[in-house]
Amino acid sequence: MNWLVKTNEDLEVWSETEYRTRVMKCEYYGARPFWQKIRKLSPPISEDVLKYDVGEVIPYKRSSLGKRFAVIVKLFTEAGQNKFLGIDIENKRKVISSIV
């Protein structure tokens, strides 16, 4: 399971291990977490009602191996086409894709 975390003004995807390690460090040193708005990421249950909004998880690629999912970090328009910048929730790579 992965987590969507907001640090400063950026959205990041952390693995369960990363999240737990950072929580334990804060507890050990008595520090406050530097992140906010935490929630677990999971693929959408139904593709019938996809919301293209910052923080939403959507399928962005289909292949013979299955679907890939990304969390939207930023929405923008390029050359008259609506697109999004996202982070793949499995390999944490940045993704730019068109909004269909």
Side-chain angles (χ1 to χ4, degrees):
M1 183 62 62
N2 290 312
W3 293 81
L4 178 64
V5 178
K6 185 173 184 180
T7 60
N8 298 326
E9 295 300 316
D10 300 328
L11 291 175
E12 296 181 17
V13 175
W14 291 353
S15 68
E16 183 75 27
T17 305
E18 282 178 291
Y19 174 73
R20 293 288 167 219
T21 301
R22 291 176 193 232
V23 167
M24 287 187 338
K25 282 184 179 179
C26 284
E27 290 173 354
Y28 180 79
Y29 291 108
R32 281 185 354 167
F34 62 92
W35 61 88
Q36 56 182 315
K37 294 188 179 177
I38 301 170
R39 71 176 171 100
K40 286 189 176 188
L41 292 176
S42 60
I45 297 169
S46 171
E47 287 187 34
D48 297 338
V49 186
L50 289 178
K51 288 176 41 179
Y52 287 91
D53 199 10
V54 174
E56 294 294 326
V57 177
I58 59 162
Y60 73 93
K61 184 178 180 183
R62 291 179 176 89
S63 69
S64 59
L65 301 174
K67 296 179 189 173
R68 302 292 299 209
F69 295 92
V71 61
I72 297 175
V73 176
K74 179 181 174 185
L75 297 168
F76 63 97
T77 302
E78 182 179 71
Q81 189 175 30
N82 293 330
K83 296 186 175 186
F84 70 87
L85 171 66
I87 302 173
D88 187 297
I89 63 174
E90 289 192 29
N91 62 20
K92 299 180 189 171
R93 292 187 180 164
K94 295 209 179 207
V95 173
I96 294 179
S97 185
S98 299
I99 296 176
V100 181

XYZ file of all heavy atoms in Angstrom:
830
model
N 0.850 -1.170 0.000
C 0.000 0.000 0.000
C 0.896 1.233 0.000
O 1.928 1.260 0.635
C -0.889 -0.025 1.231
C -1.875 1.105 1.305
S -3.097 1.231 0.013
C -3.995 -0.276 0.204
N 0.485 2.260 -0.722
C 1.214 3.514 -0.796
C 0.398 4.636 -0.171
O -0.812 4.519 -0.008
C 1.533 3.853 -2.254
C 2.560 2.922 -2.830
O 3.591 2.677 -2.230
N 2.277 2.384 -3.995
N 1.078 5.716 0.164
C 0.469 6.862 0.817
C 0.654 8.108 -0.036
O 1.719 8.317 -0.615
C 1.135 7.119 2.166
C 0.886 6.065 3.169
C 1.515 4.864 3.294
C -0.075 6.099 4.221
N 1.013 4.169 4.354
C 0.032 4.899 4.940
C -1.012 7.048 4.619
C -0.756 4.618 6.031
C -1.796 6.759 5.718
C -1.665 5.554 6.411
N -0.354 8.965 -0.084
C -0.248 10.283 -0.694
C 0.038 11.261 0.428
O -0.703 11.335 1.406
C -1.543 10.662 -1.408
C -1.548 12.049 -2.041
C -0.506 12.124 -3.148
C -2.919 12.373 -2.576
N 1.147 11.997 0.289
C 1.609 12.882 1.346
C 1.874 14.261 0.752
O 2.412 14.380 -0.351
C 2.919 12.319 1.953
C 3.466 13.241 3.018
C 2.695 10.942 2.515
N 1.501 15.293 1.471
C 1.788 16.656 1.038
C 2.915 17.202 1.889
O 2.802 17.301 3.105
C 0.542 17.538 1.170
C 0.753 18.918 0.625
C -0.532 19.704 0.616
C -0.307 21.049 -0.015
N -1.535 21.836 -0.046
N 4.035 17.529 1.236
C 5.178 18.145 1.909
C 5.344 19.532 1.321
O 5.459 19.677 0.121
C 6.471 17.339 1.693
O 6.747 17.277 0.306
C 6.341 15.944 2.253
N 5.334 20.545 2.155
C 5.344 21.940 1.697
C 4.197 22.130 0.721
O 3.063 22.027 1.093
C 6.692 22.298 1.086
C 7.814 22.178 2.100
O 7.633 22.444 3.271
N 8.970 21.761 1.644
N 4.471 22.356 -0.551
C 3.421 22.522 -1.552
C 3.382 21.346 -2.532
O 2.619 21.368 -3.484
C 3.629 23.822 -2.327
C 3.481 25.059 -1.468
C 2.108 25.168 -0.827
O 1.092 24.922 -1.518
O 2.040 25.489 0.373
N 4.219 20.345 -2.334
C 4.327 19.227 -3.266
C 3.585 17.997 -2.764
O 3.540 17.729 -1.562
C 5.800 18.848 -3.473
C 6.619 19.983 -4.033
O 6.063 20.785 -4.805
O 7.809 20.079 -3.686
N 3.014 17.240 -3.700
C 2.427 15.948 -3.376
C 3.457 14.876 -3.692
O 4.131 14.936 -4.710
C 1.161 15.702 -4.195
C -0.036 16.587 -3.846
C -1.167 16.328 -4.823
C -0.498 16.326 -2.436
N 3.583 13.907 -2.814
C 4.524 12.813 -3.004
C 3.823 11.498 -2.735
O 2.818 11.450 -2.028
C 5.716 12.937 -2.046
C 6.558 14.162 -2.271
C 7.739 14.229 -1.316
O 8.097 13.200 -0.701
O 8.312 15.322 -1.180
N 4.391 10.422 -3.278
C 3.901 9.080 -3.013
C 4.976 8.361 -2.209
O 6.122 8.269 -2.652
C 3.608 8.320 -4.326
C 3.205 6.887 -4.026
C 2.516 9.025 -5.114
N 4.606 7.887 -1.032
C 5.532 7.136 -0.184
C 5.036 5.711 -0.049
O 3.834 5.463 0.049
C 5.603 7.731 1.216
C 6.258 9.071 1.317
C 6.907 9.760 0.333
C 6.321 9.893 2.484
N 7.370 10.953 0.821
C 7.026 11.061 2.131
C 5.851 9.752 3.777
C 7.282 12.076 3.043
C 6.097 10.770 4.682
C 6.811 11.920 4.322
N 5.977 4.781 0.007
C 5.614 3.388 0.268
C 5.265 3.244 1.748
O 5.546 4.134 2.558
C 6.771 2.459 -0.095
O 7.844 2.658 0.808
N 4.669 2.133 2.089
C 4.323 1.860 3.488
C 5.575 1.899 4.364
O 5.565 2.449 5.465
C 3.627 0.498 3.587
C 3.157 0.129 4.968
C 1.910 0.890 5.403
O 1.123 1.303 4.540
O 1.729 1.056 6.618
N 6.674 1.327 3.865
C 7.932 1.294 4.620
C 8.477 2.694 4.844
O 8.887 3.031 5.961
C 8.971 0.441 3.870
O 8.416 -0.851 3.633
C 10.253 0.303 4.665
N 8.493 3.524 3.795
C 8.954 4.905 3.940
C 8.126 5.650 4.978
O 8.664 6.353 5.834
C 8.828 5.657 2.615
C 9.892 5.376 1.602
C 9.629 6.146 0.329
O 8.656 5.812 -0.357
O 10.405 7.086 0.043
N 6.806 5.502 4.883
C 5.913 6.191 5.796
C 6.167 5.759 7.242
O 6.338 6.597 8.133
C 4.462 5.937 5.403
C 3.488 6.517 6.391
C 3.287 7.885 6.471
C 2.781 5.692 7.267
C 2.404 8.424 7.390
C 1.899 6.225 8.180
C 1.720 7.583 8.243
O 0.857 8.112 9.160
N 6.212 4.465 7.473
C 6.422 3.959 8.845
C 7.769 4.397 9.398
O 7.887 4.743 10.582
C 6.312 2.427 8.871
C 4.935 1.921 8.586
C 4.002 2.188 9.755
N 2.632 1.980 9.337
C 1.618 2.725 9.707
N 1.787 3.722 10.532
N 0.404 2.492 9.264
N 8.820 4.376 8.551
C 10.151 4.794 8.988
C 10.156 6.251 9.418
O 10.713 6.614 10.454
C 11.181 4.576 7.861
O 11.181 3.197 7.510
C 12.574 4.990 8.292
N 9.498 7.104 8.632
C 9.458 8.531 8.977
C 8.651 8.794 10.235
O 9.005 9.643 11.049
C 8.931 9.337 7.803
C 9.928 9.334 6.655
C 9.402 10.034 5.451
N 10.227 9.770 4.298
C 10.726 10.698 3.519
N 10.477 11.969 3.756
N 11.465 10.375 2.479
N 7.573 8.051 10.424
C 6.779 8.194 11.651
C 7.624 7.771 12.859
O 7.648 8.465 13.883
C 5.478 7.361 11.570
C 4.818 7.256 12.929
C 4.520 7.971 10.559
N 8.337 6.659 12.733
C 9.171 6.183 13.845
C 10.290 7.170 14.166
O 10.602 7.406 15.330
C 9.751 4.798 13.531
C 8.713 3.708 13.607
S 9.262 1.989 13.443
C 10.790 2.040 12.631
N 10.882 7.787 13.134
C 11.925 8.789 13.382
C 11.361 9.988 14.134
O 12.005 10.500 15.053
C 12.550 9.251 12.061
C 13.539 8.277 11.490
C 14.174 8.846 10.234
C 15.177 7.898 9.653
N 15.794 8.427 8.416
N 10.183 10.434 13.735
C 9.566 11.569 14.436
C 9.295 11.212 15.895
O 9.543 12.022 16.795
C 8.267 11.984 13.741
S 8.524 12.912 12.218
N 8.778 10.017 16.124
C 8.500 9.583 17.498
C 9.782 9.475 18.301
O 9.838 9.879 19.457
C 7.752 8.249 17.488
C 6.329 8.372 16.989
C 5.650 7.027 16.809
O 6.312 5.972 16.955
O 4.441 7.025 16.497
N 10.845 8.938 17.701
C 12.110 8.743 18.402
C 12.734 10.078 18.795
O 13.199 10.258 19.919
C 13.076 7.945 17.520
C 14.415 7.701 18.165
C 14.570 6.700 19.121
C 15.517 8.483 17.840
C 15.795 6.474 19.718
C 16.743 8.269 18.426
C 16.885 7.267 19.366
O 18.097 7.049 19.965
N 12.755 11.036 17.858
C 13.384 12.324 18.121
C 12.435 13.346 18.740
O 12.847 14.452 19.083
C 13.969 12.903 16.826
C 15.165 12.122 16.330
C 15.074 11.324 15.199
C 16.373 12.168 17.001
C 16.162 10.600 14.746
C 17.465 11.451 16.556
C 17.361 10.669 15.427
O 18.433 9.955 14.988
N 11.176 13.002 18.867
C 10.204 13.918 19.445
C 9.884 15.087 18.533
O 9.522 16.157 18.997
N 10.018 14.851 17.236
C 9.773 15.916 16.255
C 8.353 15.827 15.718
O 7.714 14.783 15.781
C 10.762 15.790 15.102
N 7.902 16.952 15.174
C 6.605 16.962 14.514
C 6.800 16.526 13.063
O 7.785 16.896 12.438
C 6.020 18.365 14.502
C 5.405 18.789 15.780
C 4.744 20.124 15.661
N 5.007 20.733 14.345
C 4.380 21.772 13.854
N 3.455 22.345 14.556
N 4.681 22.266 12.689
N 5.871 15.782 12.515
C 5.983 15.412 11.097
C 5.966 16.657 10.209
O 5.272 17.622 10.505
C 4.741 14.570 10.847
C 4.309 14.095 12.190
C 4.717 15.169 13.153
N 6.747 16.642 9.143
C 6.802 17.773 8.221
C 5.835 17.601 7.059
O 5.823 18.408 6.142
C 8.228 17.955 7.673
C 8.727 16.780 6.879
C 8.550 16.727 5.504
C 9.367 15.724 7.514
C 8.999 15.654 4.768
C 9.828 14.647 6.786
C 9.638 14.609 5.412
N 5.016 16.568 7.108
C 4.061 16.316 6.044
C 2.646 16.472 6.566
O 2.426 16.553 7.761
C 4.254 14.916 5.465
C 4.057 13.831 6.479
C 2.880 13.218 6.807
C 5.033 13.225 7.313
N 3.069 12.284 7.775
C 4.391 12.260 8.112
C 6.394 13.395 7.470
C 5.059 11.478 9.033
C 7.059 12.613 8.388
C 6.385 11.670 9.156
N 1.697 16.522 5.641
C 0.294 16.659 6.019
C -0.586 16.013 4.968
O -0.113 15.573 3.939
C -0.059 18.136 6.185
C 0.236 18.973 4.966
C -0.091 20.417 5.187
O -1.140 20.716 5.716
N 0.787 21.310 4.782
N -1.874 16.005 5.234
C -2.877 15.438 4.332
C -2.498 14.036 3.860
O -2.308 13.787 2.684
C -3.109 16.348 3.136
C -3.739 17.659 3.512
C -4.131 18.435 2.302
C -4.775 19.738 2.730
N -5.122 20.576 1.609
N -2.402 13.134 4.769
C -2.004 11.767 4.456
C -3.249 10.919 4.220
O -4.214 11.003 4.958
C -1.200 11.163 5.622
C 0.039 12.013 5.879
C -0.832 9.729 5.344
C 0.759 11.654 7.133
N -3.172 10.100 3.167
C -4.213 9.097 2.953
C -3.614 7.944 2.158
O -2.652 8.108 1.424
C -5.414 9.675 2.234
C -5.206 10.000 0.791
C -6.527 10.471 0.185
N -6.333 10.996 -1.135
C -6.572 10.312 -2.243
N -7.012 9.084 -2.182
N -6.372 10.865 -3.422
N -4.179 6.787 2.351
C -3.717 5.612 1.616
C -4.207 5.692 0.180
O -5.309 6.157 -0.079
C -4.232 4.325 2.261
C -3.525 4.001 3.542
C -3.903 2.636 4.023
C -3.088 2.310 5.266
N -3.247 0.941 5.683
N -3.365 5.246 -0.736
C -3.714 5.238 -2.152
C -4.151 3.846 -2.570
O -3.515 2.862 -2.229
C -2.512 5.639 -3.007
C -2.055 7.075 -2.883
C -0.801 7.292 -3.713
C -3.151 8.005 -3.352
N -5.221 3.801 -3.312
C -5.668 2.536 -3.879
C -6.319 2.838 -5.222
O -6.862 3.920 -5.419
C -6.647 1.828 -2.948
O -7.772 2.646 -2.735
N -6.253 1.890 -6.155
C -6.879 2.105 -7.460
C -8.371 2.361 -7.311
O -9.008 1.876 -6.371
C -6.626 0.791 -8.201
C -5.447 0.193 -7.515
C -5.556 0.623 -6.082
N -8.945 3.130 -8.229
C -10.388 3.403 -8.141
C -11.196 2.121 -8.291
O -10.817 1.221 -9.032
C -10.648 4.362 -9.301
C -9.489 4.208 -10.208
C -8.334 3.745 -9.384
N -12.293 2.045 -7.576
C -13.138 0.858 -7.607
C -13.847 0.738 -8.951
O -13.931 -0.322 -9.532
C -14.156 0.890 -6.453
C -13.397 0.854 -5.122
C -15.128 -0.262 -6.551
C -14.255 1.137 -3.928
N -14.344 1.841 -9.443
C -15.081 1.841 -10.705
C -14.514 2.905 -11.635
O -14.286 4.028 -11.224
C -16.564 2.122 -10.455
O -17.227 2.318 -11.678
N -14.290 2.532 -12.884
C -13.788 3.502 -13.851
C -14.928 4.308 -14.471
O -14.693 5.192 -15.282
C -12.989 2.806 -14.943
C -11.651 2.324 -14.453
C -10.802 1.797 -15.586
O -10.888 2.319 -16.715
O -10.053 0.847 -15.333
N -16.153 4.000 -14.110
C -17.293 4.732 -14.640
C -17.331 6.164 -14.126
O -17.781 7.068 -14.807
C -18.608 4.034 -14.277
C -18.699 2.653 -14.896
O -18.001 2.411 -15.900
O -19.452 1.828 -14.374
N -16.850 6.374 -12.909
C -16.920 7.687 -12.278
C -15.504 8.144 -11.911
O -15.133 8.163 -10.752
C -17.808 7.639 -11.015
C -18.007 9.028 -10.431
C -19.127 6.981 -11.304
N -14.700 8.482 -12.911
C -13.353 8.972 -12.652
C -13.390 10.486 -12.492
O -14.029 11.182 -13.274
C -12.423 8.624 -13.811
C -12.062 7.156 -13.961
C -11.168 6.979 -15.177
C -11.361 6.635 -12.728
N -12.717 10.979 -11.459
C -12.620 12.414 -11.233
C -11.195 12.838 -11.560
O -10.244 12.319 -10.982
C -12.943 12.752 -9.792
C -14.404 12.605 -9.451
C -14.720 12.841 -7.993
C -14.001 13.967 -7.350
N -14.337 14.176 -5.950
N -11.066 13.753 -12.507
C -9.756 14.288 -12.843
C -9.533 15.535 -12.007
O -9.896 16.636 -12.394
C -9.674 14.593 -14.341
C -9.591 13.344 -15.171
C -10.738 12.734 -15.656
C -8.369 12.745 -15.446
C -10.666 11.572 -16.406
C -8.287 11.581 -16.193
C -9.440 11.008 -16.674
O -9.360 9.846 -17.404
N -8.959 15.334 -10.827
C -8.702 16.414 -9.895
C -7.404 16.097 -9.158
O -7.009 14.932 -9.050
C -9.868 16.538 -8.912
C -9.905 17.888 -8.232
O -9.156 18.793 -8.646
O -10.686 18.039 -7.281
N -6.740 17.106 -8.657
C -5.486 16.905 -7.930
C -5.724 15.987 -6.736
O -6.665 16.173 -5.971
C -4.905 18.261 -7.476
C -3.682 18.066 -6.605
C -4.564 19.110 -8.685
N -4.892 14.966 -6.600
C -4.992 14.011 -5.503
C -5.782 12.760 -5.831
O -5.778 11.811 -5.061
N -6.446 12.729 -6.982
C -7.238 11.559 -7.371
C -6.355 10.515 -8.055
O -5.408 10.847 -8.756
C -8.363 11.960 -8.324
C -9.403 12.848 -7.705
C -10.198 12.159 -6.614
O -10.441 10.949 -6.727
O -10.570 12.835 -5.652
N -6.682 9.249 -7.861
C -5.977 8.139 -8.501
C -6.774 7.719 -9.728
O -7.966 7.463 -9.639
C -5.832 6.936 -7.540
C -5.158 5.774 -8.233
C -5.056 7.348 -6.297
N -6.074 7.665 -10.870
C -6.746 7.311 -12.122
C -5.880 6.343 -12.928
O -4.660 6.329 -12.784
C -7.043 8.550 -12.984
C -5.753 9.283 -13.309
C -8.028 9.471 -12.326
C -5.892 10.213 -14.462
N -6.492 5.521 -13.780
C -5.698 4.680 -14.682
C -5.164 5.555 -15.812
O -5.874 6.398 -16.334
C -6.710 3.655 -15.197
C -8.019 4.309 -15.050
C -7.915 5.247 -13.887
N -3.889 5.394 -16.155
C -3.334 6.213 -17.222
C -2.756 5.389 -18.365
O -2.485 5.911 -19.435
C -2.260 7.171 -16.688
C -0.958 6.506 -16.329
C 0.077 6.424 -17.251
C -0.751 5.967 -15.073
C 1.280 5.824 -16.923
C 0.434 5.374 -14.731
C 1.454 5.301 -15.664
O 2.630 4.695 -15.327
N -2.582 4.096 -18.148
C -1.975 3.267 -19.182
C -2.520 1.856 -19.083
O -2.608 1.296 -17.995
C -0.455 3.264 -19.001
C 0.301 2.521 -20.052
C 1.788 2.644 -19.782
C 2.608 1.918 -20.801
N 4.032 1.980 -20.497
N -2.867 1.308 -20.232
C -3.304 -0.083 -20.277
C -2.343 -0.849 -21.173
O -1.977 -0.375 -22.238
C -4.720 -0.180 -20.822
C -5.752 0.384 -19.883
C -7.144 0.295 -20.472
N -8.144 0.741 -19.528
C -8.544 1.996 -19.414
N -8.027 2.929 -20.166
N -9.468 2.317 -18.522
N -1.931 -2.015 -20.741
C -1.047 -2.845 -21.544
C -1.435 -4.296 -21.358
O -2.373 -4.617 -20.626
C 0.410 -2.624 -21.132
O 0.639 -3.145 -19.837
N -0.698 -5.172 -21.986
C -0.988 -6.598 -21.853
C -0.740 -7.087 -20.427
O -1.268 -8.106 -20.006
C -0.143 -7.406 -22.840
O 1.233 -7.171 -22.590
N 0.061 -6.342 -19.672
C 0.358 -6.710 -18.286
C -0.681 -6.203 -17.303
O -0.678 -6.580 -16.144
C 1.737 -6.180 -17.883
C 2.905 -6.674 -18.724
C 4.183 -5.976 -18.313
C 3.043 -8.182 -18.609
N -1.565 -5.333 -17.758
C -2.605 -4.791 -16.879
C -2.643 -3.286 -16.933
O -2.113 -2.663 -17.838
N -3.254 -2.682 -15.941
C -3.413 -1.231 -15.883
C -2.359 -0.629 -14.968
O -1.947 -1.236 -13.995
C -4.790 -0.866 -15.341
C -5.915 -1.299 -16.222
C -7.226 -0.919 -15.584
C -8.381 -1.539 -16.332
N -9.642 -1.344 -15.659
N -1.982 0.604 -15.289
C -1.096 1.378 -14.434
C -1.918 2.533 -13.870
O -2.759 3.099 -14.559
C 0.087 1.934 -15.224
C 0.934 0.892 -15.918
C 1.676 0.057 -14.962
N 2.567 0.857 -14.163
C 3.691 0.438 -13.644
N 4.049 -0.808 -13.809
N 4.436 1.214 -12.926
N -1.684 2.873 -12.630
C -2.420 3.941 -11.970
C -1.469 5.040 -11.523
O -0.338 4.775 -11.135
C -3.184 3.401 -10.759
C -4.263 2.439 -11.133
C -4.011 1.080 -11.176
C -5.527 2.888 -11.448
C -5.008 0.187 -11.529
C -6.528 2.001 -11.802
C -6.265 0.643 -11.839
N -1.972 6.280 -11.576
C -1.189 7.434 -11.138
C -2.070 8.333 -10.294
O -3.288 8.357 -10.452
C -0.666 8.206 -12.344
N -1.436 9.069 -9.412
C -2.136 10.085 -8.633
C -1.832 11.430 -9.300
O -0.698 11.722 -9.652
C -1.723 10.071 -7.146
C -0.259 10.350 -6.964
C -2.547 11.057 -6.344
N -2.878 12.227 -9.525
C -2.723 13.507 -10.210
C -2.098 14.530 -9.266
O -2.575 14.727 -8.152
C -4.073 14.022 -10.724
C -4.647 13.058 -11.760
C -3.928 15.425 -11.319
C -6.037 13.413 -12.238
N -1.033 15.180 -9.738
C -0.340 16.197 -8.966
C -0.662 17.586 -9.497
O -0.755 18.552 -8.743
C 1.187 15.957 -9.003
C 1.941 17.044 -8.297
C 1.517 14.607 -8.410
N -0.852 17.684 -10.818
C -1.101 18.995 -11.426
C -1.899 18.813 -12.712
O -1.645 17.888 -13.480
C 0.238 19.654 -11.740
C 0.156 21.001 -12.386
C 1.555 21.530 -12.657
C 1.506 22.827 -13.433
N 2.848 23.283 -13.801
N -2.857 19.687 -12.951
C -3.618 19.724 -14.196
C -3.151 20.920 -15.014
O -2.890 21.990 -14.464
C -5.115 19.860 -13.905
C -5.752 18.705 -13.142
C -7.130 19.101 -12.673
C -5.812 17.466 -14.008
N -3.025 20.747 -16.343
C -2.601 21.849 -17.194
C -3.090 21.628 -18.620
O -3.570 20.562 -18.977
C -1.080 22.020 -17.157
C -0.308 20.837 -17.678
C 0.149 20.816 -18.984
C -0.014 19.757 -16.858
C 0.872 19.736 -19.468
C 0.703 18.674 -17.321
C 1.154 18.662 -18.642
N -2.970 22.671 -19.438
C -3.346 22.607 -20.846
C -2.104 22.865 -21.677
O -1.364 23.817 -21.416
C -4.423 23.656 -21.176
O -5.551 23.425 -20.334
C -4.861 23.552 -22.621
N -1.884 21.999 -22.669
C -0.736 22.142 -23.549
C -1.202 21.937 -24.985
O -1.797 20.905 -25.288
C 0.336 21.115 -23.174
C 1.592 21.199 -24.000
C 2.608 20.180 -23.547
O 2.390 18.977 -23.794
O 3.614 20.591 -22.953
N -0.944 22.898 -25.839
C -1.340 22.857 -27.247
C -2.837 22.585 -27.389
O -3.259 21.803 -28.235
C -0.527 21.811 -27.998
N -3.638 23.193 -26.514
C -5.086 23.052 -26.584
C -5.628 21.731 -26.072
O -6.808 21.444 -26.199
N -4.773 20.912 -25.469
C -5.203 19.608 -24.961
C -5.035 19.576 -23.442
O -3.994 19.984 -22.919
C -4.371 18.496 -25.600
C -4.882 17.119 -25.301
C -4.080 16.066 -26.067
O -2.908 16.258 -26.339
N -4.729 14.972 -26.391
N -6.068 19.092 -22.747
C -6.000 18.968 -21.293
C -5.125 17.779 -20.927
O -5.313 16.684 -21.445
C -7.389 18.798 -20.700
C -8.221 20.034 -20.862
O -7.701 21.134 -20.889
N -9.530 19.868 -20.970
N -4.188 18.011 -20.004
C -3.256 16.962 -19.569
C -3.101 17.022 -18.057
O -3.539 17.961 -17.408
C -1.890 17.146 -20.229
C -1.913 16.987 -21.734
C -0.529 17.048 -22.298
C -0.573 16.771 -23.793
N 0.774 16.671 -24.351
N -2.457 15.991 -17.519
C -2.129 15.995 -16.098
C -0.713 15.506 -15.883
O -0.182 14.725 -16.658
C -3.116 15.146 -15.279
C -2.998 13.663 -15.507
C -2.105 12.896 -14.775
C -3.795 13.028 -16.438
C -2.006 11.531 -14.975
C -3.710 11.669 -16.641
C -2.800 10.922 -15.908
N -0.108 16.025 -14.811
C 1.164 15.535 -14.320
C 0.826 14.672 -13.132
O 0.089 15.092 -12.237
C 2.075 16.690 -13.899
C 3.355 16.310 -13.168
C 4.286 15.531 -14.092
C 4.052 17.541 -12.634
N 1.331 13.452 -13.129
C 1.019 12.535 -12.045
C 2.234 11.750 -11.596
O 3.310 11.861 -12.174
N 2.034 10.953 -10.563
C 3.068 10.066 -10.044
C 2.507 8.654 -10.063
O 1.444 8.398 -9.485
C 3.476 10.443 -8.606
C 3.984 11.877 -8.550
C 4.531 9.477 -8.085
C 4.246 12.392 -7.159
N 3.209 7.742 -10.738
C 2.808 6.340 -10.771
C 2.827 5.813 -9.336
O 3.811 5.999 -8.622
C 3.775 5.542 -11.645
C 3.322 4.120 -11.872
O 3.235 3.369 -10.873
O 3.064 3.752 -13.023
N 1.747 5.160 -8.895
C 1.666 4.773 -7.487
C 2.481 3.524 -7.177
O 2.656 3.195 -6.011
C 0.215 4.603 -6.993
C -0.508 3.484 -7.713
C -0.541 5.898 -7.117
C -1.878 3.194 -7.151
N 3.026 2.845 -8.188
C 3.861 1.678 -7.908
C 5.341 1.986 -7.997
O 6.098 1.639 -7.102
C 3.489 0.541 -8.853
C 2.138 -0.049 -8.513
C 1.899 -1.342 -9.245
O 2.867 -2.044 -9.545
O 0.737 -1.621 -9.512
N 5.779 2.636 -9.087
C 7.216 2.872 -9.235
C 7.630 4.317 -8.945
O 8.792 4.656 -9.036
C 7.700 2.461 -10.626
C 7.059 3.244 -11.734
O 6.536 4.329 -11.525
N 7.080 2.685 -12.931
N 6.674 5.182 -8.619
C 6.891 6.565 -8.190
C 7.536 7.442 -9.263
O 8.144 8.444 -8.949
C 7.717 6.608 -6.912
C 7.058 5.921 -5.770
C 7.918 5.992 -4.555
C 7.336 5.093 -3.487
N 8.229 4.971 -2.372
N 7.402 7.077 -10.515
C 7.923 7.900 -11.608
C 6.875 8.929 -12.009
O 5.684 8.684 -11.918
C 8.254 7.038 -12.816
C 9.426 6.143 -12.553
C 9.838 5.430 -13.788
N 10.969 4.566 -13.484
C 11.376 3.608 -14.258
N 10.760 3.382 -15.405
N 12.400 2.884 -13.912
N 7.362 10.080 -12.482
C 6.434 11.122 -12.938
C 5.867 10.730 -14.295
O 6.542 10.133 -15.104
C 7.161 12.450 -13.032
C 7.618 12.906 -11.659
C 7.686 14.361 -11.536
C 8.137 14.647 -10.116
N 7.712 15.859 -9.619
N 4.601 11.082 -14.494
C 3.855 10.705 -15.686
C 3.143 11.938 -16.214
O 2.554 12.692 -15.442
C 2.804 9.632 -15.326
C 1.901 9.349 -16.499
C 3.443 8.391 -14.797
N 3.189 12.133 -17.519
C 2.375 13.167 -18.154
C 1.470 12.438 -19.143
O 1.937 11.656 -19.957
C 3.227 14.214 -18.886
C 4.061 14.988 -17.876
C 2.338 15.142 -19.702
C 4.973 16.032 -18.493
N 0.174 12.684 -19.034
C -0.787 11.989 -19.884
C -1.953 12.916 -20.217
O -2.219 13.874 -19.494
C -1.291 10.736 -19.188
O -2.139 10.002 -20.035
N -2.619 12.597 -21.304
C -3.804 13.363 -21.716
C -5.008 12.937 -20.896
O -5.121 11.787 -20.479
C -4.103 13.110 -23.180
O -3.037 13.516 -23.971
N -5.904 13.881 -20.709
C -7.175 13.568 -20.057
C -8.146 13.162 -21.145
O -8.406 13.927 -22.061
C -7.714 14.778 -19.271
C -6.745 15.114 -18.140
C -9.106 14.506 -18.744
C -7.122 16.340 -17.368
N -8.633 11.963 -21.028
C -9.529 11.421 -22.057
C -10.961 11.759 -21.755
O -11.431 11.749 -20.691
C -9.376 9.895 -22.148
C -10.268 9.349 -23.226
C -7.941 9.550 -22.384
